[in-house]
Amino acid sequence: MTRIALIATLLGLSLTQASAEQWRVIEGPKGDVTGVWDVKLSGNAISGKGSARDSNSKSVTFELKGAIEGKTVNLDRFAASDSRSCKYIGEAQGETEIVGTSICGGAQGPWRVTRQQ
């Protein structure tokens, strides 16, 4: 099996068609930032839009763009309503979970995704 086919199999992706998913996201050391990302997967490319809310009910909307390489997921958050750019780096843990780190405005913390297909 080629590397791309293996990646697609591990992440439940289609090699020929783009697919849409909703990701439930938890960020921060105490999990106080929660969000929903609507992403489109096309080959190893990821794009989409997201929204998040912190424990003080402050919300933010943004766009996402990134890629999957092996089991590693790299995403950038941009065009955010709070003007903060973020970098997300994670590793797929089976078909429905990604675990990693978010870096926003120089602050770093845990990041976890549950994929809703």
Side-chain angles (χ1 to χ4, degrees):
M1 188 178 289
T2 68
R3 182 180 171 129
I4 293 174
L6 178 59
I7 293 166
T9 301
L10 286 171
L11 295 176
L13 305 176
S14 169
L15 288 175
T16 57
Q17 297 179 349
S19 62
E21 295 183 357
Q22 188 172 78
W23 291 5
R24 301 283 179 184
V25 179
I26 299 173
E27 297 180 55
K30 297 178 183 177
D32 56 349
V33 178
T34 58
V36 175
W37 296 2
D38 293 310
V39 298
K40 179 180 175 184
L41 305 163
S42 181
N44 70 338
I46 304 170
S47 61
K49 296 183 182 283
S51 63
R53 182 178 303 272
D54 66 18
S55 59
N56 296 321
S57 295
K58 182 179 177 188
S59 61
V60 61
T61 57
F62 46 86
E63 294 188 39
L64 298 157
K65 191 167 195 100
I68 300 170
E69 295 180 28
K71 291 176 76 175
T72 302
V73 177
N74 286 289
L75 288 163
D76 291 306
R77 176 181 114 170
F78 61 98
S81 60
D82 67 356
S83 300
R84 287 181 53 187
S85 297
C86 297
K87 178 79 173 165
Y88 298 92
I89 304 163
E91 184 172 312
Q93 308 288 309
E95 291 185 23
T96 61
E97 188 174 45
I98 302 167
V99 176
T101 301
S102 63
I103 305 167
C104 297
Q108 183 173 322
W111 168 66
R112 179 177 302 272
V113 171
T114 302
R115 297 172 63 208
Q116 313 289 307
Q117 300 179 6

